[in-house]
Amino acid sequence: MAARNDKKVVVVGAGAAGLFAGCFLKKEGVPFVILERGSKPGRKLLLTGHGRCNITNNKAPGELKKGYHEAGSYIYSALKSFPPEDAIRFIEEELNVKLKEEENNRVFPVSDQAESIRSALVTYVGEENIITGFCCIDMDKTEDGFVVISDKGDKVNCSEVILACGGRSFPDTGSDGTGYKVAGNMGHTITSLVPALASVEVSKEDREFTSAVSGVSVNADANLYCDNRKKATGTGSVLFTHKGLSGPAIMELSREIPRDIASSEGWIELDFTPDKSDEVFDKELLGKIESHPDSKVTTLASEYVPSSVADKLGQRAGVTNLRAKMMNKDARKELVRVLKHLSFHIDNPPSYETSYVTRGGVALKEIERKNMQSKLVPGLYVIGEMLDVDGISGGYNLQACISEAFIAVKGISEL
């Protein structure tokens, strides 16, 4: 990429996507400024990975793209152009932050502190290139480029704009959806917005179960049902909380919960032995009952789930005080039911306040996948959570931000 010093690029938003765009612009010698509405750049980064910052996932692009739902094919071009291995190299060699790889290829800073990533990005970009307290609410297209306008009437002229305003998730960090209005004013279509990667609150009655085992994780398939039809499945770890359910399996399917779930019948069903059919599992359980007649039923159940959960399942099935030899067919069937079809009703949809990403955003058909430039407005680029791209948990969403930032800057610098 050839350095270009005659024009200035404005990056709107100092989240992950915006800060990485700033890094790449600086590396290429392209004059730029980042406009951030808050008082501190990178605030949402501090929340990622439970404060540890799961910065990427070190899978090959072909495998990685499977984690972006409907947008997998679209994002593949960006992932190939700047894959996780390049992101890791840049962070370690340019930002001087050492990384480590953990289970399922998730990558974290060795410090286990998200602040390590945030501060390194700000230092590399240079605080002199970040203007805080500038809330972009609109922009005008001019003959020479753009005029970016703040809520206070301040204006910044530039040749190109990179919109990286974030979605609607964790609005307290600055991503309250304002960026969608800016893109909409420029003629872009905004697809339906839904909180994604979120915990799910269950009904008051079902909270008696989840709160009793709050903090306990189990491995299960989590199946979402709406109006008596299975709509989605999440697989992996499920975490019980005081208000309901969380963990990767739940967060994976939260994007499928309709906003009007309160007016329909919706529930999540947990299957603790998803590799076995009801019939196969029933036979297996019968064999355990016959070989351990004096064992408590909840003790047998604890071979599949933690003992605290087994006790609550025993209550649900009405077999808490039974020994195996006391089980009749109906009681056994009830135990099979709670181990394979444990249901929790959903009263309200997930909230943006507790969702890590937003499903929906600027329509992908209006953005060039090779460089993230608008097909409607030349010189306007859209990256990060503003796009209708959301990935599963495990570093996927931050890698998308990094790859999109890279190809956007590449597109600008090659003009």
Side-chain angles (χ1 to χ4, degrees):
M1 290 186 265
R4 196 192 62 180
N5 298 306
D6 58 325
K7 297 182 180 180
K8 180 171 69 176
V9 177
V10 161
V11 180
V12 183
L19 287 172
F20 272 101
C23 288
F24 297 136
L25 287 164
K26 186 168 186 177
K27 185 174 175 62
E28 295 305 318
V30 178
F32 72 96
V33 65
I34 300 178
L35 306 177
E36 164 59 31
R37 66 177 297 170
S39 59
K40 180 180 180 179
R43 285 176 293 167
K44 190 177 176 184
L45 262 174
L46 299 177
L47 302 176
T48 60
H50 300 290
R52 297 174 60 214
C53 193
N54 184 182
I55 191 64
T56 185
N57 189 292
N58 196 21
K59 289 187 175 73
E63 184 67 22
L64 200 65
K65 74 172 186 176
K66 299 175 184 178
Y68 294 93
H69 309 290
E70 305 89 351
S73 295
Y74 179 90
I75 197 68
Y76 186 46
S77 178
L79 296 175
K80 284 195 301 180
S81 296
F82 201 75
E85 62 181 298
D86 288 352
I88 291 169
R89 186 180 304 112
F90 181 85
I91 294 167
E92 291 198 320
E93 296 180 3
E94 299 286 341
L95 301 185
N96 294 313
V97 177
K98 296 303 178 184
L99 304 175
K100 60 181 178 179
E101 186 171 331
E102 297 186 0
E103 183 182 5
N104 195 27
N105 306 108
R106 296 174 302 153
V107 178
F108 297 86
V110 170
S111 67
D112 281 329
Q113 298 294 322
E115 176 60 30
S116 299
I117 299 291
R118 192 203 72 83
S119 60
L121 286 167
V122 173
T123 299
Y124 190 96
V125 166
E127 293 190 16
E128 70 277 8
N129 293 316
I130 303 174
I131 298 176
T132 57
F134 190 106
C135 178
C136 172
I137 59 168
D138 205 356
M139 67 176 66
D140 290 329
K141 186 76 171 73
T142 68
E143 186 176 327
D144 298 323
F146 299 85
V147 178
V148 181
I149 307 167
S150 81
D151 58 345
K152 298 176 183 177
D154 298 322
K155 298 180 179 181
V156 178
N157 296 297
C158 59
S159 54
E160 287 91 23
V161 174
I162 299 177
L163 281 181
C165 307
R168 287 189 60 184
S169 303
F170 284 111
D172 287 346
T173 64
S175 55
D176 64 355
T178 301
Y180 298 130
K181 297 178 182 178
V182 176
N185 290 343
M186 299 302 288
H188 278 286
T189 304
I190 309 301
T191 63
S192 298
L193 305 176
V194 177
L197 291 187
S199 299
V200 176
E201 294 188 9
V202 300
S203 66
K204 183 178 179 180
E205 293 76 17
D206 287 334
R207 280 186 205 176
E208 188 278 328
F209 186 110
T210 65
S211 61
V213 291
S214 179
V216 177
S217 292
V218 295
N219 286 316
D221 272 7
N223 300 298
L224 172 66
Y225 286 83
C226 297
D227 292 326
N228 294 312
R229 296 182 62 183
K230 185 191 287 189
K231 186 171 184 180
T233 297
T235 301
S237 178
V238 174
L239 174 68
F240 294 104
T241 72
H242 285 294
K243 293 185 176 182
L245 303 169
S246 189
I250 299 298
M251 297 176 80
E252 184 177 328
L253 58 74
S254 62
R255 70 192 299 275
E256 304 293 345
I257 298 176
R259 301 304 290 159
D260 62 352
I261 191 70
S263 63
S264 60
E265 179 70 8
W267 70 92
I268 290 175
E269 190 175 277
L270 300 184
D271 182 352
F272 299 109
T273 60
D275 57 327
K276 302 180 180 72
S277 67
D278 287 28
E279 293 74 21
V280 169
F281 182 61
D282 183 42
K283 290 180 180 178
E284 179 179 309
L285 194 59
L286 179 60
K288 289 182 180 297
I289 290 171
E290 292 174 345
S291 59
H292 300 88
D294 294 320
S295 294
K296 290 184 64 175
V297 173
T298 51
T299 299
L300 297 182
S302 66
E303 294 186 25
Y304 304 97
V305 294
S307 57
S308 58
V309 177
D311 289 341
K312 293 301 296 182
L313 291 175
Q315 292 179 23
R316 276 269 183 121
V319 297
T320 300
N321 299 314
L322 294 183
R323 298 283 177 179
K325 60 186 177 184
M326 301 166 63
M327 289 273 284
N328 58 27
K329 182 178 180 179
D330 289 341
R332 191 180 77 249
K333 293 291 186 182
E334 191 62 19
L335 184 59
V336 169
R337 184 188 67 80
V338 297
L339 279 164
K340 292 197 65 65
H341 305 281
L342 182 66
S343 62
F344 297 90
H345 286 78
I346 306 168
D347 280 347
N348 296 295
S351 68
Y352 289 109
E353 284 70 23
T354 57
S355 64
Y356 283 92
V357 296
T358 305
R359 177 185 183 182
V362 176
L364 300 182
K365 65 182 180 181
E366 299 171 355
I367 304 295
E368 293 281 2
R369 70 180 68 192
K370 65 180 181 180
N371 60 10
M372 313 316 296
Q373 183 173 203
S374 167
K375 295 179 181 179
L376 310 180
V377 186
L380 176 64
Y381 298 76
V382 185
I383 63 174
E385 201 178 331
M386 281 192 67
L387 289 168
D388 187 6
V389 176
D390 65 292
I392 62 177
S393 64
Y396 288 75
N397 291 287
L398 283 176
Q399 179 60 47
C401 288
I402 298 169
S403 296
E404 291 160 7
F406 176 82
I407 61 174
V409 170
K410 181 180 179 183
I412 291 171
S413 64
E414 290 180 346
L415 290 175

mmCIF file of all heavy atoms in Angstrom, residues 49 52-54 56-59 99-112 394:
data_model
loop_
_atom_site.group_PDB
_atom_site.id
_atom_site.type_symbol
_atom_site.label_atom_id
_atom_site.label_comp_id
_atom_site.label_asym_id
_atom_site.label_seq_id
_atom_site.Cartn_x
_atom_site.Cartn_y
_atom_site.Cartn_z
ATOM 1 N N GLY A 49 -14.680 -10.889 26.629
ATOM 2 C CA GLY A 49 -14.009 -12.017 27.281
ATOM 3 C C GLY A 49 -14.064 -11.927 28.786
ATOM 4 O O GLY A 49 -13.137 -12.331 29.478
ATOM 5 N N ARG A 52 -11.221 -10.118 29.969
ATOM 6 C CA ARG A 52 -9.912 -10.644 29.556
ATOM 7 C C ARG A 52 -9.605 -10.334 28.094
ATOM 8 O O ARG A 52 -8.460 -10.416 27.681
ATOM 9 C CB ARG A 52 -9.874 -12.165 29.770
ATOM 10 C CG ARG A 52 -10.009 -12.608 31.229
ATOM 11 C CD ARG A 52 -10.099 -14.124 31.312
ATOM 12 N NE ARG A 52 -8.908 -14.740 30.740
ATOM 13 C CZ ARG A 52 -8.907 -15.902 30.083
ATOM 14 N NH1 ARG A 52 -10.042 -16.557 29.882
ATOM 15 N NH2 ARG A 52 -7.788 -16.412 29.614
ATOM 16 N N CYS A 53 -10.611 -9.980 27.317
ATOM 17 C CA CYS A 53 -10.494 -9.628 25.901
ATOM 18 C C CYS A 53 -10.090 -10.814 25.034
ATOM 19 O O CYS A 53 -8.909 -11.040 24.762
ATOM 20 C CB CYS A 53 -9.512 -8.478 25.671
ATOM 21 S SG CYS A 53 -9.636 -7.799 23.999
ATOM 22 N N ASN A 54 -11.099 -11.563 24.593
ATOM 23 C CA ASN A 54 -10.885 -12.658 23.643
ATOM 24 C C ASN A 54 -10.724 -12.024 22.262
ATOM 25 O O ASN A 54 -11.679 -11.897 21.514
ATOM 26 C CB ASN A 54 -12.079 -13.607 23.701
ATOM 27 C CG ASN A 54 -11.943 -14.838 22.848
ATOM 28 O OD1 ASN A 54 -12.849 -15.640 22.784
ATOM 29 N ND2 ASN A 54 -10.799 -15.018 22.183
ATOM 30 N N THR A 56 -9.243 -12.717 19.337
ATOM 31 C CA THR A 56 -9.493 -13.396 18.078
ATOM 32 C C THR A 56 -9.642 -14.889 18.322
ATOM 33 O O THR A 56 -9.603 -15.354 19.467
ATOM 34 C CB THR A 56 -8.357 -13.139 17.048
ATOM 35 O OG1 THR A 56 -8.732 -13.737 15.799
ATOM 36 C CG2 THR A 56 -7.043 -13.736 17.511
ATOM 37 N N ASN A 57 -9.828 -15.622 17.229
ATOM 38 C CA ASN A 57 -9.902 -17.080 17.299
ATOM 39 C C ASN A 57 -8.998 -17.612 16.197
ATOM 40 O O ASN A 57 -9.215 -17.326 15.018
ATOM 41 C CB ASN A 57 -11.341 -17.565 17.096
ATOM 42 C CG ASN A 57 -11.492 -19.038 17.368
ATOM 43 O OD1 ASN A 57 -10.977 -19.864 16.631
ATOM 44 N ND2 ASN A 57 -12.202 -19.379 18.431
ATOM 45 N N ASN A 58 -7.988 -18.383 16.573
ATOM 46 C CA ASN A 58 -6.923 -18.760 15.645
ATOM 47 C C ASN A 58 -7.280 -19.976 14.786
ATOM 48 O O ASN A 58 -6.576 -20.983 14.758
ATOM 49 C CB ASN A 58 -5.632 -19.021 16.413
ATOM 50 C CG ASN A 58 -4.416 -19.042 15.509
ATOM 51 O OD1 ASN A 58 -4.463 -18.497 14.399
ATOM 52 N ND2 ASN A 58 -3.337 -19.658 15.955
ATOM 53 N N LYS A 59 -8.392 -19.850 14.078
ATOM 54 C CA LYS A 59 -8.775 -20.871 13.094
ATOM 55 C C LYS A 59 -8.482 -20.344 11.697
ATOM 56 O O LYS A 59 -8.376 -19.139 11.471
ATOM 57 C CB LYS A 59 -10.269 -21.205 13.214
ATOM 58 C CG LYS A 59 -10.672 -21.974 14.460
ATOM 59 C CD LYS A 59 -12.130 -22.376 14.373
ATOM 60 C CE LYS A 59 -12.555 -23.255 15.554
ATOM 61 N NZ LYS A 59 -12.663 -22.479 16.793
ATOM 62 N N LEU A 99 0.332 -12.581 23.368
ATOM 63 C CA LEU A 99 -0.939 -13.307 23.375
ATOM 64 C C LEU A 99 -0.739 -14.778 23.700
ATOM 65 O O LEU A 99 0.361 -15.306 23.618
ATOM 66 C CB LEU A 99 -1.612 -13.173 22.011
ATOM 67 C CG LEU A 99 -1.872 -11.751 21.505
ATOM 68 C CD1 LEU A 99 -2.436 -11.776 20.092
ATOM 69 C CD2 LEU A 99 -2.828 -11.009 22.444
ATOM 70 N N LYS A 100 -1.834 -15.433 24.052
ATOM 71 C CA LYS A 100 -1.816 -16.870 24.322
ATOM 72 C C LYS A 100 -3.081 -17.480 23.746
ATOM 73 O O LYS A 100 -4.127 -16.833 23.651
ATOM 74 C CB LYS A 100 -1.736 -17.143 25.825
ATOM 75 C CG LYS A 100 -2.905 -16.569 26.622
ATOM 76 C CD LYS A 100 -2.767 -16.840 28.108
ATOM 77 C CE LYS A 100 -3.915 -16.214 28.901
ATOM 78 N NZ LYS A 100 -3.827 -16.482 30.348
ATOM 79 N N GLU A 101 -2.972 -18.743 23.352
ATOM 80 C CA GLU A 101 -4.107 -19.450 22.780
ATOM 81 C C GLU A 101 -4.644 -20.454 23.782
ATOM 82 O O GLU A 101 -3.888 -21.213 24.382
ATOM 83 C CB GLU A 101 -3.701 -20.151 21.484
ATOM 84 C CG GLU A 101 -4.860 -20.791 20.743
ATOM 85 C CD GLU A 101 -4.467 -21.299 19.361
ATOM 86 O OE1 GLU A 101 -3.529 -20.703 18.761
ATOM 87 O OE2 GLU A 101 -5.063 -22.281 18.897
ATOM 88 N N GLU A 102 -5.960 -20.467 23.945
ATOM 89 C CA GLU A 102 -6.603 -21.365 24.900
ATOM 90 C C GLU A 102 -7.564 -22.309 24.181
ATOM 91 O O GLU A 102 -7.530 -22.427 22.946
ATOM 92 C CB GLU A 102 -7.315 -20.548 25.983
ATOM 93 C CG GLU A 102 -6.365 -19.691 26.820
ATOM 94 C CD GLU A 102 -7.042 -19.004 27.983
ATOM 95 O OE1 GLU A 102 -8.270 -19.180 28.162
ATOM 96 O OE2 GLU A 102 -6.341 -18.281 28.720
ATOM 97 N N GLU A 103 -8.408 -22.965 24.927
ATOM 98 C CA GLU A 103 -9.334 -23.959 24.391
ATOM 99 C C GLU A 103 -10.155 -23.409 23.225
ATOM 100 O O GLU A 103 -10.562 -22.255 23.232
ATOM 101 C CB GLU A 103 -10.268 -24.434 25.516
ATOM 102 C CG GLU A 103 -11.241 -25.526 25.105
ATOM 103 C CD GLU A 103 -12.169 -25.909 26.238
ATOM 104 O OE1 GLU A 103 -12.119 -25.272 27.304
ATOM 105 O OE2 GLU A 103 -12.947 -26.850 26.046
ATOM 106 N N ASN A 104 -10.366 -24.238 22.242
ATOM 107 C CA ASN A 104 -11.147 -23.897 21.062
ATOM 108 C C ASN A 104 -10.552 -22.713 20.304
ATOM 109 O O ASN A 104 -11.269 -21.901 19.730
ATOM 110 C CB ASN A 104 -12.613 -23.613 21.421
ATOM 111 C CG ASN A 104 -13.515 -23.627 20.201
ATOM 112 O OD1 ASN A 104 -13.230 -24.293 19.206
ATOM 113 N ND2 ASN A 104 -14.604 -22.888 20.266
ATOM 114 N N ASN A 105 -9.218 -22.623 20.313
ATOM 115 C CA ASN A 105 -8.476 -21.634 19.513
ATOM 116 C C ASN A 105 -8.715 -20.177 19.925
ATOM 117 O O ASN A 105 -8.368 -19.249 19.193
ATOM 118 C CB ASN A 105 -8.790 -21.783 18.020
ATOM 119 C CG ASN A 105 -8.574 -23.188 17.516
ATOM 120 O OD1 ASN A 105 -9.529 -23.913 17.230
ATOM 121 N ND2 ASN A 105 -7.326 -23.614 17.437
ATOM 122 N N ARG A 106 -9.290 -19.974 21.102
ATOM 123 C CA ARG A 106 -9.523 -18.598 21.560
ATOM 124 C C ARG A 106 -8.206 -17.957 21.980
ATOM 125 O O ARG A 106 -7.394 -18.570 22.649
ATOM 126 C CB ARG A 106 -10.508 -18.579 22.731
ATOM 127 C CG ARG A 106 -11.909 -19.070 22.374
ATOM 128 C CD ARG A 106 -12.785 -19.163 23.598
ATOM 129 N NE ARG A 106 -12.196 -20.053 24.598
ATOM 130 C CZ ARG A 106 -12.412 -19.969 25.910
ATOM 131 N NH1 ARG A 106 -13.198 -19.021 26.388
ATOM 132 N NH2 ARG A 106 -11.846 -20.811 26.736
ATOM 133 N N VAL A 107 -8.021 -16.691 21.609
ATOM 134 C CA VAL A 107 -6.769 -15.989 21.861
ATOM 135 C C VAL A 107 -7.002 -14.816 22.814
ATOM 136 O O VAL A 107 -7.918 -14.004 22.605
ATOM 137 C CB VAL A 107 -6.148 -15.478 20.542
ATOM 138 C CG1 VAL A 107 -4.865 -14.698 20.810
ATOM 139 C CG2 VAL A 107 -5.877 -16.655 19.602
ATOM 140 N N PHE A 108 -6.165 -14.736 23.850
ATOM 141 C CA PHE A 108 -6.244 -13.700 24.872
ATOM 142 C C PHE A 108 -4.879 -13.065 25.084
ATOM 143 O O PHE A 108 -3.857 -13.677 24.785
ATOM 144 C CB PHE A 108 -6.689 -14.296 26.225
ATOM 145 C CG PHE A 108 -8.057 -14.902 26.233
ATOM 146 C CD1 PHE A 108 -8.254 -16.223 25.838
ATOM 147 C CD2 PHE A 108 -9.150 -14.167 26.665
ATOM 148 C CE1 PHE A 108 -9.517 -16.790 25.859
ATOM 149 C CE2 PHE A 108 -10.416 -14.729 26.695
ATOM 150 C CZ PHE A 108 -10.600 -16.047 26.300
ATOM 151 N N PRO A 109 -4.834 -11.864 25.644
ATOM 152 C CA PRO A 109 -3.537 -11.323 26.059
ATOM 153 C C PRO A 109 -2.995 -12.138 27.226
ATOM 154 O O PRO A 109 -3.777 -12.624 28.061
ATOM 155 C CB PRO A 109 -3.868 -9.888 26.481
ATOM 156 C CG PRO A 109 -5.322 -9.900 26.818
ATOM 157 C CD PRO A 109 -5.937 -10.904 25.887
ATOM 158 N N VAL A 110 -1.689 -12.314 27.282
ATOM 159 C CA VAL A 110 -1.067 -13.070 28.375
ATOM 160 C C VAL A 110 -1.422 -12.464 29.731
ATOM 161 O O VAL A 110 -1.556 -13.173 30.729
ATOM 162 C CB VAL A 110 0.469 -13.116 28.177
ATOM 163 C CG1 VAL A 110 1.164 -13.682 29.405
ATOM 164 C CG2 VAL A 110 0.810 -13.950 26.942
ATOM 165 N N SER A 111 -1.628 -11.173 29.756
ATOM 166 C CA SER A 111 -1.954 -10.473 31.009
ATOM 167 C C SER A 111 -3.338 -10.810 31.543
ATOM 168 O O SER A 111 -3.644 -10.545 32.710
ATOM 169 C CB SER A 111 -1.880 -8.964 30.791
ATOM 170 O OG SER A 111 -2.917 -8.537 29.897
ATOM 171 N N ASP A 112 -4.196 -11.403 30.687
ATOM 172 C CA ASP A 112 -5.600 -11.659 31.039
ATOM 173 C C ASP A 112 -6.340 -10.365 31.377
ATOM 174 O O ASP A 112 -7.340 -10.376 32.104
ATOM 175 C CB ASP A 112 -5.725 -12.642 32.214
ATOM 176 C CG ASP A 112 -5.543 -14.079 31.782
ATOM 177 O OD1 ASP A 112 -5.890 -14.395 30.637
ATOM 178 O OD2 ASP A 112 -5.029 -14.879 32.587
ATOM 179 N N GLY A 394 -16.254 -16.312 21.194
ATOM 180 C CA GLY A 394 -14.968 -16.976 21.057
ATOM 181 C C GLY A 394 -13.958 -16.206 20.223
ATOM 182 O O GLY A 394 -13.033 -16.796 19.672
#
